[in-house]
Amino acid sequence: MLAYSSIAHAGYLLMGVVAGTTRGVSAMLIYLFIYSFMQLGAFAVIVMMRRADVVGDELKDFSGLHFRHPFAAFAMLVFMLSLGGIPPTAGFMGKLWLFGAAIDAGYFWLAIIGVLNTAVSLYYYIRVVVFMYLRKETTGSEPVARPALAFTLALAVAGTIVFGVYPRLLFELAEVSARTLGAAGTVALIP
C-alpha cells in the first residue's frame, strides 16, 4: 500500500511543477521535507513489525498492534493521518500549500482532483488504523523496537506533528530557497 501511496504523493509533488511559480517550487520543497518524515516513520513501523515468524508487511500483521505496542500504533496512526492529509498533521499543511499553489496558478481542476484523490486514499489509510485499534487477534511474536528504531520513530512522529502545528518556519525557509533557485536561473518560473 505504501508503494502505491508513493506514486500518488509523487503526483502531488508534480502539482508544484505544473504551477511553475515560486510558490509551486516552495510547496514542492515543503512537501518533500514533510513527506520524508511521514514515509520514514511508516516504514520504520513496518521494519519493527518484521520478526522471525512474521513478515510484517501485510494488513493482518497490524491486527491488535495497539494492545501489543501502543507507541508503534500511535506512531502509525500519526503517519496514516498525515499521509491522508488530516489536520493538524504536517501532511495536511503540505497538501494545503501544494493545492494552494495550483489554485494560485489557475489550475483549479488540478487542485480538485488532488482533493478527490486524497479523499479516496483516506479509505486505505484508515483501514490500517482499524486493524491496529479495533482488531484484537494478533499474529506472531511481540514486535520489539530497538533503541535506534525507537529514536527514528520518535523523531518522525515529532516532525510530523510539529510541522503540522507550527509550519511557518518551514514555509519561510522554503520560500527563500525557491526565490534563490529562481534568481539563480536554475528553475524556470512562470511570471
Side-chain angles (χ1 to χ4, degrees):
M1 177 193 76
L2 288 177
Y4 289 119
S5 170
S6 298
I7 296 168
H9 289 280
Y12 294 136
L13 282 170
L14 290 176
M15 292 174 110
V17 173
V18 170
T21 61
T22 302
R23 183 169 179 191
V25 172
S26 70
M28 285 176 29
L29 294 173
I30 290 166
Y31 201 75
L32 275 172
F33 185 74
I34 288 170
Y35 183 71
S36 64
F37 282 101
M38 298 183 294
Q39 280 298 88
L40 175 71
F43 278 108
V45 173
I46 290 172
V47 167
M48 188 189 81
M49 297 298 294
R50 187 175 212 84
R51 301 173 307 278
D53 55 348
V54 176
V55 175
D57 62 354
E58 294 183 22
L59 196 55
K60 66 178 176 52
D61 298 334
F62 285 88
S63 289
L65 182 60
H66 170 68
F67 304 105
R68 295 181 289 151
H69 203 292
F71 176 69
F74 171 74
M76 195 62 151
L77 168 69
V78 169
F79 303 136
M80 293 294 105
L81 293 177
S82 190
L83 286 166
I86 301 296
T89 62
F92 170 75
M93 296 309 295
K95 286 182 181 180
L96 181 68
W97 207 247
L98 275 170
F99 297 162
I103 289 170
D104 283 352
Y107 294 100
F108 298 98
W109 61 272
L110 189 57
I112 290 169
I113 290 173
V115 170
L116 293 174
N117 187 48
T118 297
V120 169
S121 70
L122 279 173
Y123 167 77
Y124 296 99
Y125 297 132
I126 296 301
R127 281 187 67 206
V128 175
V129 174
V130 166
F131 270 77
M132 290 188 310
Y133 283 92
L134 300 180
R135 303 258 175 123
K136 292 189 179 176
E137 64 275 358
T138 60
T139 58
S141 59
E142 294 296 314
V144 177
R146 291 186 169 75
L149 190 58
F151 174 76
T152 302
L153 276 175
L155 181 67
V157 167
T160 302
I161 292 172
V162 167
F163 290 121
V165 174
Y166 186 71
R168 191 76 220 141
L169 176 64
L170 183 60
F171 288 172
E172 291 169 358
L173 288 172
E175 285 179 8
V176 168
S177 297
R179 275 192 236 114
T180 303
L181 285 171
T186 335
V187 177
L189 299 174
I190 297 171

